[in-house]
């Protein structure tokens, strides 16, 4: 794209139309820009438009946003990336343009610069930091704080990586480069700005707030950069200049700035943001550089304590209060905890900091009523660590690590005082009771790895009966909803400690609360029931069974489905999860099955119109799956009932292309196929033909579910699949899947099921094609995943059809290739096999090979024989973590969010793992017994081979196995 007047006009008009309120011109403009973005120099042309002063500010701003997004998509993209000459020109232009433009455009260009920096800085952009430093010094001399803050904002963006990336040599080299070049200019501008603020604070009359804003903004950015550069470790420069930094930090915590703070909410917020950044920095030093920081600790502890006493309960000051309390919490758990040991300090903290911050505020009540999803996320799901209520309790927990008895005594007395206040006037003082319940719940401790929660503050049973039960038994489910929610949360948290007969007594009350108008209350009631049904007694047996919920089952299901009709709870994930859990426990009769599948089916029809809550939808499909599975296992005749209800709905999903639900649909169909008795109904074979279509397999997210469905057909309809060209198409799918590293494992799942389910005569004509496809892939790549899949397939083939079939069919493709596969792939990689069934399969197949195959029993193959014994001993005697290295080719998928996620497995529609070797109980015993029998036929021969070829550690392990099973190798 050439830069000329025509390009300027074209881009200007496009960006103008993207701002149009009318959808048609907006869409046309977006389409034109999308098309143009594929052309070389598009990004550069847009940047030049942003730099054009004659163009309207709004158009330039829209162009700046587009430029930023273009870089995000294309800068490091493998598909249609920005070319190097264009990149170099962009790098040359962007810094001066960012510094000379207006604030709104500057912020977009700063983000764009950070995108480039994330990929290119410092190695591929060595000129950036010197350019920023040079401009910072020039702007500082001119006291041009618009430019200064633009530069600091950019530096803050590119230095943030030092907070989030793992410490590596490369990262530390990058950090050293930044420290060497930026720390001195940073301190210089920080001290200069501090001096200007001091002068302004002392001036009479004080300067206008507008003069102070850029100065405080600058100091805030300096503090953020300080945090990034100090995050990995304490740099020498900052250690040498610690007093200069800390003097100014303390000043911002102890000084008030009336002209700015009194200029309106924004002014106070800016000062508070700076103070919060200071608290983050001193907390970082307290956590990581305690020894170097200790000389400043007492002054800062006093400054933060005093500051907290003056911070109001206004929501606008939450972040400052939270970071300040967090600092005191860090101090309380450190070696300097004696700061809290003085007379009356802990009671003062409880009265002055904890209770005021735990008590409900109007904002909490408003959130409870207006945004129940966010309230629950914070309150029940533990995302409230950055709320005043939670952080105040964390402070108490911190102090309790060294002064537990004192904290327990003071808090217990405080709880009793709050409850007495409530008892004196329940209507006026209900928040005191809420505060008491919150303290007990928040200060409880959870046993690691369990759901068991305990507390030393109160006796759980007596507190439950005296404080919680009155709320549960209240006839008005809508009265004091926040108290009801607190009581339900207590019941949920301490469910393991509340005895079964007591909990069952109040189960009908929980069912009653499902009808509460408050979204939080009926969500908490559903969550409480759902979590109760998960409680296990010692020994792992479920505490609650179908017999416990049968008496209330009809009312429970009615109230759960009714709750989904309440305003704003139409897609309530807690209610749906409860339905799933109840269906997993209750006795499912014919009548119940009909009612439930219709209820779930109508919900399914509704969400198909506009899928928007992935968690709710997941539990909906899980509920359908568990209902179908449990009901049909009890009464197989119900399969047709479910088919008549579900097929029309599943057909809508497929015909209307509701892509989000395709994986769920295929998994449900797989479950229905498996629940049918052969021969399966003709309608399924129509589905099977769709399954064989290559178009069905194009979307990667569908593949695991389609494979699951294909496996179900192979197991339930082997005769039908053997007819015509169906098997050819199935193996064509296998061949396609193994060609991609992301789906190769799925391809082997198909192949393994073919081997398991079909007769040898049926698959014999295809065997050489199968080996040829596998060998082709081994030549292209040898990933851990592919090697494991290969070994499991060979093992299954050998178990089903014998070692001679494996060897002969392989060697048909290429003479003597079996020996190469054995020595290059099988023996060295046997140790990689994981999973109980897979380990048994691979070890038994390998054992049969060395004990039955004439090829391996030939004395000429004694080295391979011995090496295979060595590998089998490694597999059977060593723990998984000692023999399996981390898989380098496995992607790190940490979290699937929303519908960007690919495949989500339905737990309740999962494929039951089949053990092809049910008759062999212990693979270790099978190995040693087989080896012992072999040795008796040729005494003295095999111990010699073992001595020569088996690792000494494994020889000892083999002897130990022989002793365990009382067998010998002669």
């Amino acid at each position: 794209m050439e830069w000329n007047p025509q390009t300027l006009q074209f881009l200007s008009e496009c960006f103008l139309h993207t701002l149009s309120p009318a959808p048609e011109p907006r869409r046309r403009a977006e389409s034109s820009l999308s098309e143009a973005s594929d052309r070389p120099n598009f990004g550069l042309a847009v940047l030049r438009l942003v730099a054009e002063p004659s163009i309207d500010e709004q158009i330039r701003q829209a162009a700046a946003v587009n430029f930023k997004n273009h870089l995000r998509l294309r800068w490091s993209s493998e598909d249609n990336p920005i070319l190097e000459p264009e990149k170099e020109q962009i790098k040359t232009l962007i810094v001066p343009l960012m510094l000379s433009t207006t604030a709104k455009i500057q912020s977009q260009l700063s983000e764009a610069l950070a995108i480039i920096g994330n990929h290119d800085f410092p190695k591929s952009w060595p000129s950036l930091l010197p350019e920023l430093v040079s401009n910072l010094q020039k702007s500082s001399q001119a006291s041009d704080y618009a430019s200064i803050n633009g530069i600091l904002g950019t530096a803050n963006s590119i230095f943030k990586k030092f907070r989030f990336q793992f410490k590596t040599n490369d990262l530390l080299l990058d950090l050293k480069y930044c420290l060497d070049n930026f720390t001195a200019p940073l301190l210089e501008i920080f001290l200069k700005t501090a001096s200007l603020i001091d002068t302004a604070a002392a001036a009479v009359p004080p300067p206008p707030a507008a003069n102070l804003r850029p100065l405080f903004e600058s100091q805030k950015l300096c503090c953020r950069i300080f945090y990034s550069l100090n995050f990995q470790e304490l740099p020498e420069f900052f250690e040498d200049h610690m007093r200069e930094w800390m003097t100014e930090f303390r000043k911002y915590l102890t000084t008030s700035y009336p002209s700015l703070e009194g200029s309106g909410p924004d002014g106070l917020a800016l000062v508070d943001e700076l103070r919060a950044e200071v608290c983050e920095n001193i907390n970082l030093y307290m956590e990581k550089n305690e020894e170097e920081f200790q000389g400043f600790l007492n002054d800062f502890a006093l400054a933060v304590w005093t500051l907290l006493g003056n911070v109001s309960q206004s929501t606008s000051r939450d972040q400052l209060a939270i970071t300040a309390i967090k600092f005191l919490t860090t101090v309380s758990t450190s070696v300097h905890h004696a700061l809290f040991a003085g007379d009356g300090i802990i009671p003062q903290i409880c009265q002055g900091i904890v209770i005021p911050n735990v008590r409900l505020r109007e904002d909490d009540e408003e959130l409870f009523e207006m945004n129940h999803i966010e309230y629950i996320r914070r309150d029940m799901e533990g995302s409230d660590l950055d709320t005043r209520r939670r952080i105040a309790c964390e402070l108490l927990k911190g102090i309790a690590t060294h002064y537990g008895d004192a904290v327990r005594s003071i808090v217990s007395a405080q709880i009793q005082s709050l409850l007495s206040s409530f008892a004196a006037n329940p209507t006026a003082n209900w928040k005191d009771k809420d505060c008491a319940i919150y303290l007990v719940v928040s200060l409880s401790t959870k046993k690691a790895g369990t759901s068991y929660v305990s507390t030393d503050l109160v006796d759980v049973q007596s507190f439950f009966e005296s404080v919680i039960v009155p709320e549960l038994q209240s006839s008005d489910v809508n009265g004091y909803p926040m108290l009801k929610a607190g009581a339900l949360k207590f019941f949920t948290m301490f469910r393991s400690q509340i005895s079964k007969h007591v909990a069952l007594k109040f189960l009908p009350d929980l069912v009653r609360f499902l009808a509460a108008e408050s979204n939080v209350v009926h969500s908490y009631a559903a969550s409480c029931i759902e979590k109760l049904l998960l409680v296990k007694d010692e020994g792992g047996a479920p505490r609650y069974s179908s017999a416990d919920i049968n008496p209330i089952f009809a009312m429970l299901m009615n109230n759960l489905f009714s709750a989904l009709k309440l305003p704003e709870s139409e897609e309530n994930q807690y209610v749906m999860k409860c339905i799933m859990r109840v269906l997993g426990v209750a006795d499912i009769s014919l009548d119940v099955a009909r009612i439930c599948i219709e209820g779930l089916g109508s919900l399914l029809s509704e969400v198909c119109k506009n899928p928007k809550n992935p968690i709710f939808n997941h539990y909906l499909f899980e509920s359908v799956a568990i209902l179908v599975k449990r009901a049909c296992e009890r009464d197989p005749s119900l399969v047709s009932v479910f088919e008549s209800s579900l097929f029309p709905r599943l057909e809508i999903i497929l015909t209307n292309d509701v892509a989000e639900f395709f994986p769920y649909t295929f998994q449900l169909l797989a479950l229905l196929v498996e629940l049918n008795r052969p021969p399966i109904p003709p309608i399924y074979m129509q589905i099977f033909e769709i399954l064989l279509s290559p178009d069905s397999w194009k979307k990667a997210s569908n593949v695991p579910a389609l494979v699951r469905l294909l496996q179900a057909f192979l197991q339930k309809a082997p005769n039908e699949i053997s007819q015509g060209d169906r098997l050819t198409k199935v193996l064509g799918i296998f061949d396609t899947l193994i060609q991609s590293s992301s789906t190769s494992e799925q391809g082997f799942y198909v192949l393994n099921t073919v081997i398991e389910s079909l007769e040898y005569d049926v698959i014999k004509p295809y065997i050489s094609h199968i080996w040829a496809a596998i060998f082709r892939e081994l030549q292209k790549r040898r990933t851990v995943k592919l090697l494991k899949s290969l070994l499991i397939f060979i093992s299954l083939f050998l178990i089903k059809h014998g070692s001679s079939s494996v060897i002969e069919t392989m060697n048909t493709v290429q003479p003597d290739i079996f020996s190469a596969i054995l020595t290059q792939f099988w023996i060295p990689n046997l140790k990689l096999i994981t999973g109980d069934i897979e380990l048994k399969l691979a070890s038994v197949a390998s054992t049969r090979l060395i004990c039955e195959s004439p090829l391996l029993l030939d004395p000429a193959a004694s080295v391979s024989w011995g090496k295979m014994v060595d590998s089998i001993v490694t597999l059977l005697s060593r723990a998984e973590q000692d023999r399996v290295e981390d898989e380098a080719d496995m992607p790190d998928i940490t979290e699937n969010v929303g519908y960007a996620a690919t495949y989500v497995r339905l737990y309740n529609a999962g494929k039951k793992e089949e053990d092809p070797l049910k008759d062999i109980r212990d693979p270790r015993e099978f190995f040693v017994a087989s080896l012992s029998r072999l040795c008796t036929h040729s005494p003295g021969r095999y111990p010699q081979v073992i001595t020569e070829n088996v690792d000494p550690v494994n020889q000892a392990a083999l002897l130990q196995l022989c002793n365990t099973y009382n067998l010998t190798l002669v």
Side-chain angles (χ1 to χ4, degrees), residues 301-352:
L302 180 61
V304 170
W305 178 287
T306 309
L307 180 67
L308 276 169
N310 298 322
V311 173
S312 69
Q313 290 296 306
S314 166
T315 314
S316 62
R317 309 202 74 183
D318 280 1
Q319 195 54 38
L320 174 58
I322 289 161
T323 51
I325 295 171
K326 198 185 288 182
F327 170 71
L328 293 181
T329 305
T330 304
V331 176
S332 73
T333 56
S334 73
V335 294
H336 303 286
H337 57 79
L339 286 171
F340 296 90
D343 282 347
I345 288 181
I346 296 175
Q348 278 182 51
I349 287 173
C350 194
Q351 289 289 344

Side-chain angles (χ1 to χ4, degrees), residues 53 81 85 174 214 401 458 489 522 581-582 743 774 798 810 847 865 924 958:
D174 289 354
T401 53
V458 295
K489 184 181 177 187
H522 60 245
R581 196 73 63 205
V582 171
T743 57
I774 293 171
L798 188 149
M810 271 200 203
T847 302
W865 189 95
R924 291 165 182 81
L958 179 57

Side-chain angles (χ1 to χ4, degrees), residues 919-935:
D919 54 325
I920 296 173
R921 189 181 55 82
D922 183 350
R924 291 165 182 81
E925 184 178 11
F926 177 84
F927 168 60
V928 178
S930 301
L931 216 51
S932 179
R933 274 196 306 276
L934 180 67
C935 288

Side-chain angles (χ1 to χ4, degrees), residues 147-409:
S147 295
I148 289 168
N149 291 347
I151 296 162
L152 292 176
T154 301
N156 176 45
S157 296
I158 61 175
F159 294 158
K160 269 184 186 171
K161 71 175 184 177
F162 300 122
R163 303 183 184 196
F164 307 121
Q165 293 184 13
F166 287 115
K167 186 187 282 191
T168 61
N169 287 337
D170 282 348
L171 188 76
L172 292 177
L173 283 171
D174 289 354
L175 176 58
K176 184 180 185 303
Y177 170 78
C178 296
L179 291 167
D180 290 346
N181 286 279
F182 204 77
T183 47
L186 178 68
L187 179 60
E188 188 182 319
I189 191 66
F190 180 71
L191 293 176
K192 173 184 172 151
T193 310
S195 172
L196 291 173
I197 289 173
D198 289 347
T199 304
V204 180
N211 293 9
L212 286 172
R213 280 177 195 280
L215 304 180
F216 275 81
E217 191 65 46
S218 178
Q219 296 303 69
K220 187 175 76 174
L221 288 165
C222 287
C223 285
R224 286 181 178 166
I225 294 168
F226 177 98
Y227 189 93
S228 297
L229 296 179
N230 281 273
F231 188 85
Q232 295 289 340
E233 52 193 36
L234 178 61
E236 186 180 343
F237 181 90
F238 285 101
E239 188 174 358
D240 292 344
H241 295 274
M242 195 182 293
R243 183 162 298 281
E244 290 154 274
W245 284 101
M246 295 304 151
T247 301
E248 300 307 320
F249 284 173
R250 184 172 170 275
K251 195 186 294 174
Y252 297 131
L253 298 181
T254 55
T255 308
S256 61
Y257 300 93
S259 65
L260 185 52
E261 291 176 41
S263 66
D266 289 352
L268 177 60
L270 182 57
V271 179
D272 278 356
E273 283 167 15
L274 174 57
R275 289 169 178 150
E277 295 296 341
V278 167
C279 288
E280 291 281 15
N281 286 341
I282 60 175
N283 189 56
L284 178 72
Y285 267 45
M286 194 63 223
E287 287 177 338
K288 298 197 172 192
N289 312 311
E290 194 176 302
E291 189 180 331
E292 295 84 354
F293 182 66
Q294 63 182 349
F296 304 96
L297 176 59
N298 285 2
D299 284 348
F300 274 110
L302 180 61
V304 170
W305 178 287
T306 309
L307 180 67
L308 276 169
N310 298 322
V311 173
S312 69
Q313 290 296 306
S314 166
T315 314
S316 62
R317 309 202 74 183
D318 280 1
Q319 195 54 38
L320 174 58
I322 289 161
T323 51
I325 295 171
K326 198 185 288 182
F327 170 71
L328 293 181
T329 305
T330 304
V331 176
S332 73
T333 56
S334 73
V335 294
H336 303 286
H337 57 79
L339 286 171
F340 296 90
D343 282 347
I345 288 181
I346 296 175
Q348 278 182 51
I349 287 173
C350 194
Q351 289 289 344
I353 297 176
V354 176
I355 298 300
N357 284 299
V358 167
R359 194 177 289 280
L360 280 173
R361 299 177 297 172
E362 281 183 21
D363 294 304
D364 298 313
E365 294 180 68
E366 188 176 314
L367 189 67
F368 183 93
E369 290 174 17
M370 306 301 292
N371 189 349
H372 70 278
I373 294 170
E374 178 62 18
Y375 183 90
I376 295 170
R377 194 179 68 82
R378 290 185 186 181
D379 185 55
M380 182 70 96
E381 296 179 3
S383 69
D384 63 340
L385 200 57
D386 280 347
T387 64
R388 290 201 194 205
R389 293 191 102 187
R390 177 60 70 89
I391 205 72
C393 290
E394 291 301 311
L395 173 57
L396 272 187
K397 280 186 181 177
I399 298 169
T401 53
H402 296 288
Y403 307 102
D405 290 342
V407 169
R408 278 187 289 276
S409 168

Side-chain angles (χ1 to χ4, degrees), residues 1 33-34 43 192 280 401 437 473 581 720 814 832:
M1 182 175 273
L33 287 169
S34 175
K192 173 184 172 151
E280 291 281 15
T401 53
I437 295 171
Q473 290 187 321
R581 196 73 63 205
E720 290 89 335
Q814 188 177 322
L832 299 175

Side-chain angles (χ1 to χ4, degrees), residues 444-454 490-498 531-537 543:
S444 60
T445 52
K446 190 173 183 180
K447 189 176 177 184
T450 71
S451 61
Y452 188 84
V453 176
S454 60
F490 182 95
F491 197 170
T492 307
M493 290 283 287
F494 292 99
R495 59 191 179 277
S496 298
Q497 286 203 51
I498 296 164
K531 298 255 188 315
L532 274 174
L533 295 179
L534 285 175
V535 174
K536 289 180 169 57
D537 287 322
R543 182 178 293 179

